[in-house]
Amino acid sequence: MKRYIFEALKNLRGQSAFSMPGHKSKDIYDFDFRDDITEVVGADNLMEPEECILKSEEEIAEIYGVKRSYFITEGSTMALKIAISLLTKPNDTILIQRNSHKSIYNSAVQFDLNLEFINSKFDEERQLLLGVDPIELDKKLKSNKNIKLVVLTSPNYYGMILNLKELSEIVHNNGCKLIVDEAHGGHLIFSRQRELSAVRYADVIVHSTHKTLPSLTGSAMLHVNCDIAHKKVLKMMNLLMSSSPSYLSMLSSEFGIDYLERKGGFEKIEKEVKEFKENLKGIVEFLEIEDNSVADVDILKLAFRTKGHSGLNVVNELALRYNIRLEMGDLYYALCILSVIDETEDFKCLEKALKDISVGVYQNIDENYREILPKVVISPKEAFESETEMVELEDSIGRISSAIVMLYPPGVPIISYGEEFTREIVAELQRYPKLSGVVDNKVEVVK
């Protein structure tokens, strides 16, 4: 057969990468494909670790300052599912940020959970979701005593770190457990932002080591900071994960954590970013956030907008014309995800390209948008399991969604399972040229 994937990816080699994974396609590893093995003698077993895997997990737990750490080889998506399964039972109600990753919504289907939502603060001028208002969080928890678990995201895709010290106190004072999706923050504990990491405050924490550490795609860690039995975690891992976990994934998580502990590199990256911004002053507008709902902005996130282009256009232009890979673009902003592996030459290439394309005027930011909170009509599980049909987007008003519709990346639903399409939601969906969950201008609804 023709090797379509190989041919496509071969064409991407040599790109300057400002996207995940954090190894940036550079030759940094001291292991290779020869270490891709299974649970043979001497290699231990992830699902029943007793030797090298257990020792590695124990040392990682020490580094992060948590009770237990576990390698997850199917990404933070799987880590989140395991985390949620450990702290819920069917028909429980959990409170999540509306701008949570789709994996949390999918967990509600898989484990038959009811979702309550808290909206993030919204910056109208820049059309960006910020952090969580602690007063609003306390009100939500006091008004619904059925909520036993809160799931927050910090940092978010644009790098906004929540005030987790204050928020965690509110969650725990209301008798709830706290999971933090810190998929984008596995590096924080090694940086000057270490005190903002969720490992200081949450009961369970999820890290995507491949996002900002030099690890392979799909590598992740699950950290437990509360009294969940070790056997229970392994039981859930056995239930939900593949029986053939990737040793290369585990090796790369171990490598990435060891690399940051020994070498750091954050001062160098911050120096590069400072010089990069200075060189593009007046040419590119960088996103700067100051709000009391945000503790800080992740030093490895770089969001900006250019003259004459949407964020989506910037991503395409840089990839096709300059061989530079960005993480994502939206209607206004383009986003770089950095890591300590990025080099001066990479920044210089990006700087030159942005000077070339940033011409004209900045696009006006439409200030009419508000974060939409759709009406929940039936449970996520019921919607997922119902008979469905595809209808034109314009004809979906009043119908119940049986799928997630979202911009991907970042994978945050605009409408999800069991929620009602409205004129406002349809208008929001029509703003985007391409969405996951919209096929030939049709969406999936409950019959």
Side-chain angles (χ1 to χ4, degrees):
M1 65 172 285
K2 183 176 178 180
R3 296 173 63 196
Y4 299 95
I5 299 172
F6 174 73
E7 292 299 329
L9 297 190
K10 189 169 68 172
N11 292 332
L12 301 181
R13 291 176 181 171
Q15 287 184 325
S16 290
F18 289 93
S19 63
M20 58 179 98
H23 58 69
K24 303 304 179 93
S25 303
K26 297 186 187 294
D27 186 13
I28 58 170
Y29 292 128
D30 54 7
F31 60 89
D32 58 32
F33 72 93
R34 291 170 295 183
D35 300 307
D36 184 20
I37 60 170
T38 56
E39 295 87 343
V40 295
V41 174
D44 208 357
N45 183 341
L46 178 61
M47 304 303 172
E48 297 177 12
E50 296 177 339
E51 300 164 354
C52 61
I53 293 175
L54 179 61
K55 289 176 182 177
S56 186
E57 289 180 334
E58 287 175 343
E59 190 160 333
I60 289 169
E62 265 184 60
I63 290 168
Y64 279 97
V66 295
K67 291 185 176 181
R68 286 271 190 178
S69 294
Y70 301 87
F71 290 112
I72 305 297
T73 59
E74 295 162 56
S76 56
T77 289
M78 178 57 72
L80 279 165
K81 287 182 178 183
I82 294 168
I84 290 169
S85 72
L86 289 168
L87 293 172
T88 61
K89 58 185 185 296
N91 206 35
D92 274 359
T93 299
I94 69 174
L95 179 67
I96 71 172
Q97 283 173 262
R98 179 64 199 183
N99 59 322
S100 294
H101 187 261
K102 67 172 185 172
S103 57
I104 297 170
Y105 289 80
N106 288 336
S107 295
V109 171
Q110 190 165 1
F111 306 121
D112 195 12
L113 303 173
N114 301 304
L115 298 178
E116 288 285 331
F117 301 105
I118 183 166
N119 274 351
S120 300
K121 285 185 69 176
F122 186 68
D123 184 328
E124 292 185 23
E125 182 183 345
R126 286 173 286 191
Q127 293 289 288
L128 283 170
L129 297 170
L130 303 172
V132 171
D133 184 339
I135 296 173
E136 183 68 19
L137 176 62
D138 196 42
K139 282 181 183 176
K140 283 277 185 184
L141 295 177
K142 282 183 165 54
S143 66
N144 189 343
K145 294 298 182 182
N146 291 324
I147 297 170
K148 302 300 180 188
L149 172 66
V150 177
V151 185
L152 299 177
T153 303
S154 176
N156 68 12
Y157 219 84
Y158 293 90
M160 285 158 236
I161 304 172
L162 297 178
N163 292 303
L164 287 173
K165 185 177 188 297
E166 182 179 9
L167 296 174
S168 65
E169 288 173 359
I170 292 168
V171 171
H172 292 138
N173 287 343
N174 280 279
C176 300
K177 294 292 187 185
L178 175 63
I179 294 172
V180 174
D181 175 5
E182 197 173 60
H184 285 264
H187 63 284
L188 292 176
I189 202 73
F190 303 100
S191 74
R192 63 172 172 79
Q193 296 175 316
R194 61 183 60 84
E195 294 302 320
L196 304 178
S197 173
V199 297
R200 304 282 201 231
Y201 311 109
D203 298 292
V204 181
I205 306 96
V206 166
H207 286 151
S208 278
T209 45
H210 76 268
K211 284 182 167 61
T212 55
L213 279 68
S215 302
L216 295 174
T217 297
S219 306
M221 298 298 304
L222 175 70
H223 304 289
V224 174
N225 239 348
C226 60
D227 295 325
I228 299 175
H230 177 54
K231 286 184 178 180
K232 185 177 181 181
V233 179
L234 295 179
K235 185 177 181 180
M236 275 302 171
M237 288 172 63
N238 270 285
L239 177 66
L240 297 173
M241 290 178 63
S242 167
S243 59
S244 301
S246 166
Y247 273 77
L248 293 181
S249 172
M250 288 185 277
L251 277 167
S252 73
S253 282
E254 183 183 60
F255 176 93
I257 292 166
D258 174 64
Y259 188 100
L260 291 193
E261 188 193 27
R262 286 188 300 105
K263 296 188 177 182
F266 293 97
E267 289 182 4
K268 173 183 171 292
I269 285 295
E270 287 196 84
K271 183 181 177 183
E272 295 278 11
V273 169
K274 183 179 179 182
E275 183 177 334
F276 178 73
K277 287 182 174 181
E278 287 174 354
N279 292 343
L280 288 167
K281 194 172 182 180
I283 300 170
V284 170
E285 182 181 288
F286 291 96
L287 184 63
E288 304 289 344
I289 296 295
E290 286 188 17
D291 186 85
N292 58 14
S293 69
V294 176
D296 203 353
V297 177
D298 176 12
I299 58 180
L300 294 186
K301 292 295 190 339
L302 192 60
F304 60 88
R305 59 192 195 115
T306 65
K307 297 171 183 176
H309 296 278
S310 70
L312 293 164
N313 287 342
V314 170
V315 171
N316 289 330
E317 282 278 301
L318 294 184
L320 298 175
R321 289 178 54 194
Y322 298 91
N323 209 31
I324 296 172
R325 187 168 76 235
L326 300 193
E327 175 62 25
M328 67 157 284
D330 62 20
L331 293 176
Y332 307 110
Y333 301 96
L335 177 69
C336 297
I337 294 184
L338 311 177
S339 88
V340 296
I341 305 300
D342 288 313
E343 298 174 344
T344 301
E345 183 182 344
D346 298 313
F347 283 98
K348 291 298 182 186
C349 288
L350 181 56
E351 179 188 320
K352 182 179 183 303
L354 291 177
K355 285 178 177 177
D356 281 352
I357 70 169
S358 189
V359 178
V361 296
Y362 294 112
Q363 289 189 350
N364 288 330
I365 294 179
D366 179 4
E367 295 187 19
N368 293 320
Y369 172 70
R370 301 289 184 276
E371 185 179 20
I372 296 167
L373 193 58
K375 178 183 177 183
V376 178
V377 181
I378 58 177
S379 75
K381 185 177 179 66
E382 184 181 350
F384 183 84
E385 293 181 344
S386 296
E387 286 192 47
T388 67
E389 61 181 343
M390 300 296 291
V391 300
E392 294 288 337
L393 185 56
E394 294 80 1
D395 297 330
S396 67
I397 296 169
R399 303 294 296 272
I400 300 169
S401 180
S402 61
I404 287 174
V405 182
M406 62 189 172
L407 181 68
Y408 193 87
V412 172
I414 299 170
I415 186 169
S416 184
Y417 312 104
E419 298 175 349
E420 184 180 356
F421 281 95
T422 63
R423 195 171 303 280
E424 181 187 28
I425 291 169
V426 169
E428 176 59 20
L429 297 177
Q430 289 173 330
R431 281 158 43 102
Y432 297 92
K434 185 178 180 181
L435 288 168
S436 175
V438 179
V439 181
D440 297 329
N441 203 45
K442 292 183 178 181
V443 290
E444 189 177 9
V445 298
V446 173
K447 266 191 175 181

